[in-house]
Amino acid sequence: MSQGYHQKSTHFKSRKNKIAQAIISSLLITPLLVNAAEEIAEEEVEVMTVTAQKRVQNIMKVPVTVDSISDETIKQSGSVMLDDIDKFIPGFDFSGGDVTQAGVTMRGVSSPNISVGGDPSTATFFDGVYMPRAAQNVLFSDMQRVEVLKGPQGTLFGKNAAMGVVNMIPNAPEDDFNGFVKGTFGTDNMQRIEGMVNFTFADNVYVRMNALSNTQDGYLTNVSQSSLAGKKSGDGGQKDHQAARAAIKWEISDRTNVQLSYDWDKLDQAPGAAIGLSPYAENPTNPFANTFANDVVNGGESRDMTATTFKLNHEFNNEWSMMFITSFREWETNNRIDEDGTANVSRYLDTDNHEDSNIFYNELQVNYNTQNFNYVGGLTYSKEEVHQTTFINTTTDTAARLVSGQLNDELSAGVRQEFAGAIGVNPDDVPQETVDFLLNQYGLPLEHMWDAEQWAATLNVMGAAGDIMDYLAYLGVVPPGTPLTADIVSLTGDATYDIVAQQMGIAEIFGPSYANQMWSENFINNGEFVSYGIYSDFDFQLSDKWNVFFGIRYSEDEKDFSWEVSETQFAQVRPGVGNILFPARDELWQSKSWNKTTGRLGTGYIINDDHMVFASVATGYKAGGFDSLNSPHSESNGAIIIDPQTGEAIDVSFAPEESVNYEMGYKGIVFEDIITTFSLFHNVLDDRQVSKNSKPPGQNQAIPTIVNEDMTIDGFELSMNWQMTDTLSGGFVTEVRSVDVATEDFYNDSGTLIAAGTTASDTNTSYTLVMDWEPEISNGYAVVHVDYVFRENARGLEIGNDDWVNDIPHYFDDTQLLNARISWIHEDDNLEIGLWGKNLLDNRYTGFPGGRTKDILGTGYTSVNKGLEAGVDIKYSF
């Protein structure tokens, strides 16, 4: 064997050991993710560093529950967004179906909210900057790591960290020349192209640029043949998302550096598919048919977003340092989705959410570090300017159906009154069954007033037929004495409708010549939100083994918010027509401020080099806010509701969330080679802000409304990583959680009053199993990765669901997903070719229901996940 070959083989084995431990990192099964450079056989494990406490620390020594996802994990798992990595982190879920309306669920507490007047329960940061609602779901383009902190993090991260923090950290420019290009191709014509280059621009000036494009055809076919004008929505699941970033870093001196970065994000894809579950849907009882019919006009989801961020880091001396960050991010979003799950023009409703917002975020942080003492303190200031227009779009055909329902109420009242008079009883004593029987004799109630037979019967029952026919005879349209029939209605077009509209003073009664036109009622919201914070956190190293930390933060949030409802544009076509879903309202502003002092206290004890325990208590806070669609106006006439005690407009703000969390845990290496972390927690969450579709009396349409709940959450989380051999490793991560919920009175989406009550879940368990094998093969090595995900269904906790929701197929199924990837990596580590598959069991599940149109149009819908996906990828590094 030649000496040259021996050196090459030694080099390969050295790299192989590093890669093996990087694969341990890619398991994502513990906050002790390994990225070691030493031999595992020598038991010298170097663990990842994190900035979870706003200072660089060895993750194994951090006395809080934090999970960190490495860049190798992101690459090996093919992850591009937060919903790709949540399966590896206990207690963390991310709903990424709609990019602009996604949300974090932390330890069972979700916080998606389409209202710009509210905030999430878990704070999301990117490159040290807070990310509001529609901005927080971004592509992982050249990401260094993602840290997830669970439990209240109000002390160091401020408002909206009542349940935790997600911290995305992109790679920074460095003094090196390197880069890569990568292509990933898969089912449904998936094409993902990404690349990065890092280089030295000048002495001590480094540049890093990266870009990622992610496109894919839909996995559900939209078969809608709508007669409505405009661009139809695409197939369900179609993706088109691009992102790019450029950063320049200047090392001014050994102690000072500055960085300027620019982020660009563009999204333009199909809206989420509304899989109808009504007799009018494409597949009324089978949501997994892979075809659906959505006739939403110009449907789609888009986002144009840019951000500029400046960072300054300076070390005054070996103990004192500071960091200053300022960032301006702005975005425009559009999300127009089908809300009825059908292609029935007379049962049409869509919502179109437009947002044009920005945030100016600033933080000044000071650090003091000695061998026995660490201090972090600082100030934060942010200002958000938000504008949201929510278009509630329907059709004139649907509007006529809704007016028909109002006429039915009048018909029922008239028949009840007439029958009661005939038999000499009080109208309230006439059973509804009797009224329905009498109406049925005439082919009523009215299903749609444009049905000529039903309209003729309605006019005869109302006693209006004679006057109408006399008027038509006067005009010479029909001979005198002609009875009103369906043929006459058809012959005269809009005439009978116009006569009734004029006589009754109801312009919303109009004829079929107005068919296939759009009817829109628009909610317009504006807001200005200012947030301040000041914090200090102290960490005392009492001995080599024992440290104690405590911190405190004062936060204040000021929100100015406005509501306005425009008059339907159809009034320009038919003068006199008014809104039928929501009354028009003039602009009205309200102001509200909240403040809160939060803190934390904890301790960590290092038993020896392999074991530590920790305990903490922490409080968190989520600012109060306003519902975009729930204004201080009367629902009946749009007038402002005045509080009789104060003489001012009624306060419709909702209370802030407040949480307190007690936690204890363990981190260490058990049985010499199983890296383990365990935490046990008790969380009390007061005034949790839950968005529910609600339809109170006097309101014609269900709208998202905040309902406050109190929750108590008990659980534990366990992560284990076992290096079984030099080339084979396994991982296990699990969470077990039980929840008690107490809710206030609220009306559900069908208008049913749900009384205040409590519910409790059985113990809920979820886990992920991971196996990685790294055999040596010709000219390189292979990486084989398999993970199995189990999520126990916890929807039994939902309060106020109608029976149709509980009858959704597979709605209460547990989730089981099997994913795998095998790749070959050249021994020079510059070429990688992979073959991957997701959801290899091809399991299908239904998502959360959409019931905004269930009561008024008889339509409801759900969503479904993707089936099996497979593909290849190739990466070249330089």
Side-chain angles (χ1 to χ4, degrees):
M1 182 182 295
S2 70
Q3 180 68 24
Y5 179 85
H6 176 74
Q7 291 176 345
K8 182 177 181 181
S9 176
T10 302
H11 171 75
F12 168 71
K13 289 181 180 179
S14 173
R15 295 194 68 93
K16 178 171 176 274
N17 285 319
K18 293 182 180 180
I19 295 296
Q21 296 179 50
I23 292 169
I24 298 173
S25 295
S26 74
L27 297 182
L28 298 177
I29 51 85
T30 172
L32 309 178
L33 302 178
V34 180
N35 188 19
E38 290 81 15
E39 296 279 352
I40 288 206
E42 296 176 4
E43 298 181 1
E44 295 179 5
V45 179
E46 177 185 336
V47 297
M48 182 180 294
T49 60
V50 294
T51 53
Q53 298 191 104
K54 294 206 170 183
R55 45 189 175 261
V56 177
Q57 293 177 293
N58 183 324
I59 195 170
M60 196 171 184
K61 308 300 182 183
V62 178
V64 295
T65 304
V66 53
D67 295 89
S68 185
I69 310 307
S70 70
D71 60 339
E72 280 299 319
T73 294
I74 293 171
K75 295 173 186 176
Q76 291 295 335
S77 62
S79 299
V80 292
M81 301 188 88
L82 285 170
D83 59 329
D84 293 320
I85 64 171
D86 58 1
K87 62 185 176 181
F88 299 110
I89 304 173
F92 171 63
D93 290 288
F94 193 85
S95 61
D98 289 333
V99 173
T100 60
Q101 295 178 7
V104 176
T105 298
M106 193 74 78
R107 289 179 170 173
V109 177
S110 59
S111 55
N113 192 344
I114 65 171
S115 171
V116 294
D119 295 292
S121 299
T122 297
T124 301
F125 286 79
F126 179 84
D127 200 18
V129 178
Y130 176 72
M131 304 275 280
R133 305 151 308 277
Q136 62 186 205
N137 201 5
V138 295
L139 287 171
F140 290 170
S141 182
D142 193 32
M143 194 71 66
Q144 181 187 119
R145 66 181 184 273
V146 179
E147 299 176 359
V148 177
L149 293 78
K150 285 162 284 187
Q153 304 294 329
T155 302
L156 292 174
F157 290 92
K159 69 168 187 175
N160 308 331
M163 289 303 299
V165 167
V166 178
N167 191 18
M168 294 176 281
I169 304 169
N171 282 304
E174 58 187 3
D175 184 13
D176 193 10
F177 176 75
N178 59 74
F180 71 87
V181 290
K182 181 178 181 180
T184 304
F185 310 92
T187 48
D188 299 318
N189 194 31
M190 175 184 143
Q191 299 181 41
R192 182 181 301 156
I193 309 298
E194 56 184 310
M196 182 277 295
V197 61
N198 185 100
F199 59 91
T200 300
F201 179 75
D203 289 344
N204 300 322
V205 180
Y206 321 122
V207 175
R208 193 178 189 98
M209 297 184 293
N210 58 269
L212 189 155
S213 173
N214 188 37
T215 62
Q216 190 171 20
D217 294 341
Y219 62 96
L220 301 169
T221 302
N222 186 3
V223 298
S224 171
Q225 298 296 324
S226 171
S227 60
L228 300 172
K231 180 187 72 175
K232 298 177 186 176
S233 63
D235 293 337
Q238 179 264 332
K239 295 181 179 179
D240 190 352
H241 197 176
Q242 289 81 38
R245 175 180 170 87
I248 183 168
K249 184 176 181 179
W250 179 22
E251 296 280 0
I252 300 174
S253 69
D254 292 341
R255 294 184 178 272
T256 307
N257 66 76
V258 296
Q259 177 179 302
L260 180 66
S261 60
Y262 178 80
D263 293 278
W264 172 85
D265 182 288
K266 183 174 180 59
L267 173 78
D268 188 5
Q269 61 190 29
I275 311 300
L277 295 174
S278 71
Y280 320 102
E282 174 72 12
N283 299 289
T285 60
N286 182 16
F288 305 108
N290 289 330
T291 60
F292 69 106
N294 281 179
D295 56 357
V296 53
V297 177
N298 297 322
E301 182 183 19
S302 65
R303 181 179 66 190
D304 288 298
M305 181 167 65
T306 61
T308 302
T309 303
F310 173 81
K311 286 182 172 182
L312 167 65
N313 291 283
H314 176 68
E315 295 180 3
F316 297 99
N317 51 45
N318 291 335
E319 289 83 29
W320 285 98
S321 64
M322 59 86 68
M323 182 275 294
F324 173 70
I325 185 169
T326 182
S327 176
F328 182 77
R329 179 177 293 268
E330 57 183 342
W331 59 94
E332 294 184 19
T333 71
N334 172 59
N335 195 7
R336 187 168 186 176
I337 61 174
D338 195 294
E339 294 283 5
D340 57 86
T342 78
N344 188 318
V345 70
S346 71
R347 299 180 188 277
Y348 180 100
L349 187 77
D350 78 62
T351 56
D352 187 7
N353 184 60
H354 287 220
E355 183 178 346
D356 184 358
S357 302
N358 61 70
I359 182 171
F360 179 48
Y361 180 87
N362 302 269
E363 181 170 5
L364 175 64
Q365 177 185 311
V366 177
N367 292 64
Y368 177 75
N369 297 296
T370 65
Q371 183 176 358
N372 297 317
F373 175 67
N374 292 303
Y375 168 78
V376 179
L379 304 167
T380 60
Y381 167 82
S382 67
K383 180 179 180 180
E384 287 185 67
E385 295 178 340
V386 302
H387 172 82
Q388 177 176 268
T389 300
T390 305
F391 299 86
I392 313 294
N393 302 304
T394 186
T395 62
T396 48
D397 308 69
T398 302
R401 179 179 295 281
L402 298 178
V403 172
S404 301
Q406 297 172 13
L407 290 174
N408 282 331
D409 294 338
E410 296 192 21
L411 284 172
S412 294
V415 169
R416 183 187 300 275
Q417 185 75 32
E418 185 174 346
F419 182 77
I423 63 175
V425 300
N426 190 304
D428 293 339
D429 295 331
V430 178
Q432 184 62 41
E433 292 81 0
T434 301
V435 175
D436 293 340
F437 174 79
L438 295 172
L439 287 173
N440 286 336
Q441 304 309 301
Y442 297 94
L444 299 173
L446 189 65
E447 201 268 337
H448 196 291
M449 66 182 182
W450 290 352
D451 183 293
E453 289 190 6
Q454 290 188 345
W455 181 241
T458 298
L459 297 179
N460 281 301
V461 171
M462 292 174 61
D467 292 341
I468 290 175
M469 296 312 295
D470 288 345
Y471 182 68
L472 293 177
Y474 169 76
L475 295 176
V477 177
V478 297
T482 302
L484 177 59
T485 64
D487 290 338
I488 297 296
V489 170
S490 299
L491 179 65
T492 56
D494 290 350
T496 57
Y497 300 93
D498 291 338
I499 292 171
V500 172
Q502 185 176 12
Q503 290 181 346
M504 298 183 66
I506 304 177
E508 290 75 30
I509 298 175
F510 50 85
S513 71
Y514 293 98
N516 288 327
Q517 298 188 45
M518 297 305 297
W519 179 299
S520 181
E521 301 178 13
N522 309 329
F523 281 80
I524 304 169
N525 303 107
N526 289 286
E528 183 175 291
F529 311 148
V530 177
S531 179
Y532 309 88
I534 180 170
Y535 62 93
S536 286
D537 192 73
F538 308 86
D539 189 338
F540 297 90
Q541 192 70 38
L542 303 181
S543 69
D544 292 341
K545 296 179 178 293
W546 184 25
N547 77 304
V548 175
F549 60 89
F550 69 91
I552 190 169
R553 182 187 192 107
Y554 174 79
S555 300
E556 182 171 327
D557 295 278
E558 302 171 357
K559 291 188 177 184
D560 297 324
F561 199 72
S562 74
W563 301 262
E564 179 183 354
V565 182
S566 65
E567 185 182 66
T568 175
Q569 90 289 349
F570 188 65
Q572 301 173 12
V573 179
R574 184 173 174 85
V577 165
N579 291 8
I580 60 175
L581 296 174
F582 305 98
R585 302 164 180 170
D586 294 332
E587 185 179 44
L588 175 64
W589 283 84
Q590 282 202 345
S591 299
K592 188 79 173 181
S593 64
W594 301 267
N595 60 77
K596 183 69 177 178
T597 300
T598 54
R600 67 173 190 159
L601 173 65
T603 185
Y605 184 78
I606 299 175
I607 300 172
N608 55 40
D609 289 342
D610 290 338
H611 306 283
M612 77 164 294
V613 292
F614 63 90
S616 67
V617 57
T619 59
Y621 155 78
K622 169 183 171 178
F626 302 94
D627 272 337
S628 297
L629 307 182
N630 186 21
S631 68
H633 295 85
S634 168
E635 293 295 344
S636 59
N637 59 21
I640 298 173
I641 304 175
I642 301 299
D643 188 324
Q645 295 182 345
T646 64
E648 299 178 352
I650 189 170
D651 180 9
V652 296
S653 62
F654 46 78
E657 284 183 358
E658 298 181 9
S659 63
V660 57
N661 184 75
Y662 304 90
E663 190 147 354
M664 58 187 300
Y666 161 84
K667 296 180 180 183
I669 303 175
V670 299
F671 304 116
E672 297 185 350
D673 54 8
I674 302 179
I675 302 175
T676 304
T677 182
F678 172 82
S679 62
L680 184 69
F681 62 88
H682 172 76
N683 188 287
V684 178
L685 182 62
D686 291 333
D687 290 319
R688 177 197 177 196
Q689 302 160 8
V690 182
S691 181
K692 294 181 179 289
N693 285 325
S694 180
K695 184 176 176 290
Q699 184 172 292
N700 295 328
Q701 168 63 31
I703 60 174
T705 304
I706 292 295
V707 175
N708 288 112
E709 295 180 346
D710 293 334
M711 298 184 70
T712 301
I713 310 167
D714 293 288
F716 72 82
E717 296 162 355
L718 173 67
S719 299
M720 304 182 73
N721 176 29
W722 180 20
Q723 187 69 33
M724 292 174 277
T725 71
D726 288 344
T727 61
L728 183 64
S729 62
F732 174 71
V733 55
T734 186
E735 57 175 311
V736 178
R737 187 171 58 238
S738 62
V739 182
D740 294 331
V741 180
T743 187
E744 61 185 12
D745 291 343
F746 71 95
Y747 288 91
N748 67 8
D749 55 11
S750 294
T752 302
L753 178 63
I754 306 301
T758 60
T759 185
S761 72
D762 296 328
T763 301
N764 182 267
T765 303
S766 298
Y767 62 85
T768 298
L769 292 169
V770 180
M771 189 69 67
D772 280 85
W773 181 43
E774 189 242 324
E776 180 178 342
I777 60 176
S778 176
N779 298 319
Y781 48 93
V783 177
V784 181
H785 170 89
V786 179
D787 63 71
Y788 173 77
V789 183
F790 175 84
R791 295 287 182 267
E792 184 175 345
N793 193 295
R795 290 172 176 168
L797 270 179
E798 297 167 6
I799 299 174
N801 283 341
D802 289 327
D803 290 338
W804 79 273
V805 172
N806 297 326
D807 293 337
I808 294 176
H810 302 281
Y811 185 67
F812 294 98
D813 285 2
D814 299 328
T815 299
Q816 301 178 66
L817 300 172
L818 179 65
N819 311 290
R821 181 177 184 270
I822 179 171
S823 66
W824 170 81
I825 303 175
H826 191 269
E827 61 187 24
D828 292 334
D829 209 24
N830 61 354
L831 179 64
E832 180 176 6
I833 301 174
L835 176 67
W836 55 269
K838 295 183 178 181
N839 192 8
L840 295 175
L841 302 177
D842 199 26
N843 289 336
R844 307 300 297 276
Y845 305 98
T846 49
F848 286 99
R852 294 178 187 172
T853 59
K854 183 65 177 177
D855 185 50
I856 61 172
L857 298 176
T859 56
Y861 65 88
T862 186
S863 61
V864 297
N865 69 313
K866 285 187 178 182
L868 185 150
E869 292 185 89
V872 298
D873 57 62
I874 181 169
K875 179 182 179 181
Y876 177 74
S877 302
F878 55 87

